Structures are given as structure tokens and as C-alpha cells.
Amino acid sequence: KNEPFGAVVVDEAAQATEPCTLIPLGMARCSRCVLVGDDCQLPPTVFTMPRSDSLVCRTLFERLRQCGHTTELLEEQYRMAPEISAFPRNYFYGGMLQDAPTVLQGTRRDFHSFIPPLLFLDLSCSSAKKSPDGSWFNIQEARWCAETVLHIFQTSERTGEMDRAKDLGIICPYKAQQKTLQEQLEQICPSVDPCIVQTVDAYQGRECEV
């Protein structure tokens, strides 16, 4: 039990602060460490507000890259439809990340003839409000989102893809908006589990059909 580990693999290493990674490495007394992560995605969650020059949010993954250690990029993505992946592939990865050959066919659905894989909806008027705890919410956007979910369900029922449509997730940046969305869903589409509405951090690493 007192023998050191030969190697330690740290998953989601780009979401762990440096001390969080160094502690298990020190306890393992390993001679080899493999850091697996993506520093183009969400950074570590730090609850104290660091100073602008503080490195408390820096990960060991980031530090080693800055010190000149080379990284290996997994060059193909298998999850997102090409319409969704186009922006992050080019903006964050400089075009080095590519869609796997099977992605286009694997992400096509019949209900896309009514609802495309990527759609931006511009509300003619809406206003965000601040909640007592400092979070933000927008009732008009929440209502529109709930109506969109209802439309997706109605459309997928006609195309025979209801099982796929039920694998649906709603992502929002604020806790107050999460609560507002859940309330609107209960009114407009009561068959939907309100737990499908989560914050960005909570949905990290998950995937849904819609």
C-alpha cells in the first residue's frame, strides 16, 4: 500500500485548479502524469473573487502548456452537428478540430425539415431583470423558450421522433433564469421534466439530442 503509483491520469484537468491536481499527484508519488482536458472549454469554478493578477484559477494543464510542454489534440469531434460545431471549431481551435466523417449522417433527423439543427431567435422586445439575490432573469425569453419546446414536441410527434425529442436540454447562464424557465415549462408544456433546465456548469460534459 505504501508503494508509489507508476502513473496517474487526471481527467477534466482543464477544470481543476493547480492545487487540486498537485495534491493527488503528491500523494501518489508517481513518476508519470497524464493530464486529459480541454482549456478551450469551461475553466475551474472558483467561489472567491480572485485579484486580476492572481493565478488561483490557473490549472496545471495551462501552466505546463505555457512552460512549453506539447499537447496532443484529438482532432475529430463526434457529438455535434456540423452546423453547431462550425463556430467553435474555427474560433476556438483555429480550424484544427474537424467533424468526424460519420457526424453529418449521424446527426440528421426528420424534424430538421421543420426545425434546423441550429436556429437563432431574435425577440422583438424583452427585458432582463435582476433578482433579489443578484441573479438575472428574462420572462419573455423563458416563455418563448417554453413555446419552442412545445413546438419541437408537436413537430417530432408528426415525424415519429418523439423519443429523440424528449432527450432535450435547456441551458442558461443564471440561476434565476433557470427557475423562470422551469415555471414557464410547467405552464406551457407540463409534460416536460423541469430538471432538463440547468446552468452552463451543470450541463458541462453532457449531451442531448436537442
Side-chain angles (χ1 to χ4, degrees):
K1 292 182 178 180
N2 294 323
E3 294 182 1
F5 285 86
V8 170
V9 179
V10 182
D11 193 19
E12 297 291 356
Q15 277 198 286
T17 61
E18 196 167 335
C20 289
T21 307
L22 291 176
I23 291 172
L25 293 182
M27 295 181 66
R29 294 175 291 143
C30 61
S31 58
R32 178 177 299 170
C33 173
V34 180
L35 301 178
V36 182
D38 187 349
D39 55 352
C40 290
Q41 296 188 24
L42 291 177
T45 300
V46 178
F47 291 100
T48 57
M49 184 64 67
R51 298 183 331 192
S52 58
D53 60 344
S54 172
L55 298 177
V56 68
C57 296
R58 185 176 66 174
T59 66
L60 184 60
F61 190 99
E62 180 184 358
R63 179 183 177 185
L64 292 178
R65 288 194 65 175
Q66 293 173 348
C67 291
H69 287 263
T70 57
T71 57
E72 295 292 333
L73 175 68
L74 300 179
E75 297 177 349
E76 291 186 337
Q77 71 88 17
Y78 296 84
R79 292 180 171 184
M80 294 179 285
E83 295 88 342
I84 300 173
S85 70
F87 173 75
R89 285 192 294 106
N90 288 284
Y91 186 83
F92 294 107
Y93 300 96
M96 292 188 293
L97 182 66
Q98 299 296 318
D99 293 322
T102 57
V103 164
L104 181 61
Q105 186 63 31
T107 56
R108 297 302 91 177
R109 304 290 181 257
D110 290 339
F111 59 68
H112 285 160
S113 59
F114 300 90
I115 305 167
L118 179 64
L119 177 65
F120 291 94
L121 297 175
D122 184 14
L123 276 66
S124 58
C125 64
S126 69
S127 60
K129 296 181 179 180
K130 198 170 186 176
S131 65
D133 61 357
S135 187
W136 290 89
F137 66 98
N138 187 310
I139 295 178
Q140 292 88 352
E141 288 183 0
R143 184 179 300 116
W144 190 266
C145 184
E147 291 174 351
T148 300
V149 170
L150 179 62
H151 177 62
I152 291 173
F153 279 11
Q154 293 171 340
T155 302
S156 60
E157 192 171 18
R158 291 198 298 270
T159 61
E161 296 174 308
M162 194 60 179
D163 287 342
R164 293 187 182 277
K166 285 182 177 179
D167 184 17
L168 182 146
I170 301 176
I171 305 172
C172 58
Y174 302 110
K175 279 286 186 180
Q177 185 68 358
Q178 178 186 15
K179 181 181 178 182
T180 304
L181 278 162
Q182 291 171 338
E183 292 171 348
Q184 291 298 316
L185 280 173
E186 289 177 354
Q187 294 178 22
I188 297 173
C189 201
S191 62
V192 175
D193 184 354
C195 290
I196 67 170
V197 185
Q198 296 291 340
T199 60
V200 176
D201 279 322
Y203 251 119
Q204 169 73 353
R206 296 176 59 181
E207 58 182 284
C208 300
E209 277 284 341
V210 183

